[in-house]
Amino acid sequence: LETIYVPASAMYPNTTAGCAELAQVELSNGPELKCLDFDASSDENAQFTVCFPKSWDHSTTVTFQAFWTVTGTNTGTVAWGLSGGSIADDASINTAFGTNVVATAKAFSGTSNDMTVSATSGAVTIANAAADTMTYFQVMRDVSADSQTGDARLLGIKLYFTTNAANDA
């Protein structure tokens, strides 16, 4: 099992039902955040791409964890979902994502800007998974599965995938 971390700075809001544009947030101490804000009032989405290494076993599933925070003190839960699809050479990019999988909602600590890491999701099926493909992912905040009244700030996604080789030789 291997991981790839995809920061919010490598993501972009969907044109339709997209989250807020990438923001850089200065805190009073420590690092500045590059984040995507997802509203509490409706499901919003962002996308990113990954070209998996040759050592990827081309299994059709991955799992994920979301790294996120909230500005505010509400202790409501946030639920993140992920779907994906791989596109091969000379294939149409205009292809639907696989089924969205939502990780178990997690409560926020109530301390503004606390780091929060979601539970590892169930298996996310990647449509058309194969070698030498570009995989498009869509991450979403599923407000019907959470209770947080503030914007959830996505910092990044950690993807877990299976390999069947020690390297990409």
Side-chain angles (χ1 to χ4, degrees), residues 34-118:
K34 293 273 191 174
C35 56
L36 295 170
D37 288 353
F38 289 72
D39 290 342
S41 60
S42 63
D43 293 345
E44 291 184 330
N45 304 274
Q47 295 183 21
F48 62 94
T49 58
V50 171
C51 286
F52 285 101
K54 284 181 172 182
S55 58
W56 178 38
D57 73 352
H58 316 121
S59 76
T60 59
T61 63
V62 297
T63 58
F64 76 95
Q65 287 182 292
F67 289 69
W68 56 279
T69 190
V70 170
T71 300
T73 58
N74 182 288
T75 58
T77 61
V78 175
W80 298 101
L82 189 70
S83 56
S86 292
I87 310 297
D89 180 38
D90 205 24
S92 175
I93 300 172
N94 190 18
T95 302
F97 289 101
T99 302
N100 186 59
V101 173
V102 177
T104 302
K106 183 172 181 181
F108 185 63
S109 70
T111 301
S112 187
N113 295 312
D114 263 10
M115 176 65 73
T116 309
V117 181
S118 73

Side-chain angles (χ1 to χ4, degrees), residues 13 72 94-95 110 116 132 135-136 155 167:
N94 190 18
T95 302
T116 309
D132 297 323
T135 303
Y136 288 81
L155 304 172
N167 58 50

